[in-house]
Amino acid sequence: MKIAIVGVGAIGGFLGLRLAQSGQDVTAIARGATAEALRRHGWRVDSGGIRHAFAAQVETDASQAGAQDVVIVAVKGPAMASVAPMVEAMLRDDTAVVTAMNGLSWWFAHHLPALGASQPLESVDPGGHIIEAIPASQVVGCVVHMAASVSEPGVVRHALGQRFIIGEAAGAPTPRLQRIAGALRGAGLDVEVSATIHRDIWYKLWGNMTMNPVSALTGATMDRILDDPLVNRFCLDVMAEAAAVGARIGCRVEQSGEDRQKITRTLGAVRTSMLQDVDAGRPLEIDALLASVREIGARVGIATPQLDALTGLARLQARTLGLYPAAPTDSERVVQ
């Protein structure tokens, strides 16, 4: 298959190497230092003490890549509005757009009757411009379970995991979904095909929507957050609110917050991705992880006071650091 990857960071770089090695026709859409590194050195992933490398095709202009069978979007939420035109430039009517992203994306409200299938989430797609460019009918949702980081432009440091859950946004399995699963498995990845990808996305969000912003606020690793009884209780209260929202929209979480935290504790002294973004001065994924859940709660009539507090604190800190728009956006006003 012809596969383009938009967002050649840790996840995109890892997928690019594996898919290219397995014989797929992979093109990286990249710019600046990352594009230059890929052109000179190819895909590079450090894993298990070994550097894996493979020649890379690179385009800085997505329109030059041409129509694709699959476009993998592996950017963070704040970048999605700017990369949507790049994705659109590579679409045919049957192109699948695989969203290997954290939190809730522009298409999440679609195919959920409780939210009104045609109303976009203003918190992650103000004005519905992204859904106009990339319709939900072309989306294959993806949940990523792995730990990786970028050590320098074009170089991925893979720590652990390679599990990917994929599913059609519309729910029903399709031949294209099976083809994508086959390509990922052919690349040596652990792949699960889901008929309920909304629930899978919500479950991962529910598990990391507190550790990320609390670590960004405090600078603490996950073990220290869990060890503080007051902070731990606050995190559990936020998770309880998110679980109630999820149950209302058909994304029930079949686990207690305490049991989920036991799993988190096994990971040890992890510096979350949002804390790493603070350290690097990158925009924070507050809308995809927090504001979107608040917006959904408001739509279905569930109060979220603890989540409101966490969102406000994370947003204020991010604005103070210059990592979030300085003035309230229209989408914020909608869900105030």
Side-chain angles (χ1 to χ4, degrees):
M1 292 188 294
K2 286 179 63 63
I3 302 173
I5 298 180
V6 179
V8 188
I11 304 304
F14 179 82
L15 286 172
L17 173 90
R18 290 294 196 87
L19 288 166
Q21 282 183 323
S22 70
Q24 300 295 340
D25 181 1
V26 182
T27 300
I29 308 301
R31 294 176 177 172
T34 298
E36 179 62 22
L38 288 168
R39 286 191 174 115
R40 294 184 64 182
H41 306 290
W43 303 101
R44 290 177 291 170
V45 174
D46 295 331
S47 181
I50 300 172
R51 170 157 291 183
H52 306 266
F54 198 83
Q57 300 179 70
V58 186
E59 292 289 352
T60 56
D61 182 349
S63 64
Q64 296 300 309
Q68 303 288 310
D69 298 310
V70 178
V71 178
I72 297 174
V73 180
V75 301
K76 297 201 172 183
M80 193 60 229
S82 64
V83 305
M86 303 180 197
V87 177
E88 185 180 21
M90 296 183 285
L91 298 186
R92 300 188 307 255
D93 289 343
D94 61 347
T95 301
V97 178
V98 179
T99 54
M101 301 172 67
N102 277 332
L104 304 187
S105 299
W106 75 95
W107 58 271
F108 188 84
H110 286 251
H111 308 296
L112 285 178
L115 294 180
S118 62
Q119 187 177 0
L121 288 173
E122 285 290 320
S123 49
V124 292
D125 186 13
H129 300 300
I130 301 175
I131 200 72
E132 289 179 5
I134 312 169
S137 61
Q138 298 198 237
V139 170
V140 170
C142 177
V143 180
V144 179
H145 291 285
M146 62 175 281
S149 59
V150 174
S151 56
E152 62 181 87
V155 178
V156 176
R157 181 183 293 119
H158 175 232
L160 57 89
Q162 54 176 19
R163 180 179 173 224
F164 294 80
I165 305 172
I166 61 172
E168 292 280 356
T174 61
R176 73 176 182 185
L177 182 64
Q178 296 303 325
R179 288 195 297 271
I180 294 167
L184 294 172
R185 288 176 180 138
L189 305 176
D190 302 324
V191 181
E192 177 183 337
V193 174
S194 173
T196 55
I197 194 65
H198 286 82
R199 288 186 63 180
D200 298 307
I201 290 170
W202 194 270
Y203 175 73
K204 184 182 179 184
L205 168 67
W206 174 76
N208 69 16
M209 67 184 295
T210 53
M211 292 296 115
N212 266 290
V214 171
S215 69
L217 284 164
T218 63
T221 51
M222 291 199 306
D223 58 324
R224 296 184 65 189
I225 295 170
L226 294 171
D227 285 341
D228 188 296
L230 297 180
V231 177
N232 190 356
R233 182 68 258 169
F234 173 67
C235 291
L236 288 170
D237 289 345
V238 174
M239 293 172 74
E241 292 177 355
V245 174
R248 185 68 62 88
I249 64 172
C251 295
R252 184 176 296 278
V253 175
E254 303 293 347
Q255 189 179 37
S256 70
E258 288 82 358
D259 285 344
R260 183 64 181 83
Q261 287 190 346
K262 290 177 183 177
I263 297 172
T264 302
R265 187 174 287 281
T266 64
L267 300 176
V270 171
R271 294 178 66 80
T272 70
S273 61
M274 192 175 283
L275 178 53
Q276 292 178 48
D277 288 341
V278 169
D279 292 342
R282 293 188 291 258
L284 304 189
E285 293 186 288
I286 294 169
D287 295 331
L289 292 178
L290 300 173
S292 54
V293 180
R294 288 189 66 236
E295 180 179 353
I296 292 173
R299 284 200 198 179
V300 298
I302 293 181
T304 56
Q306 304 304 319
L307 174 58
D308 294 351
L310 181 57
T311 305
L313 288 168
R315 198 166 59 196
L316 179 59
Q317 184 219 30
R319 281 187 174 136
T320 302
L321 297 175
L323 307 180
Y324 192 86
T329 63
D330 290 340
S331 59
E332 279 181 38
R333 296 188 182 98
V334 168
V335 295
Q336 286 293 355

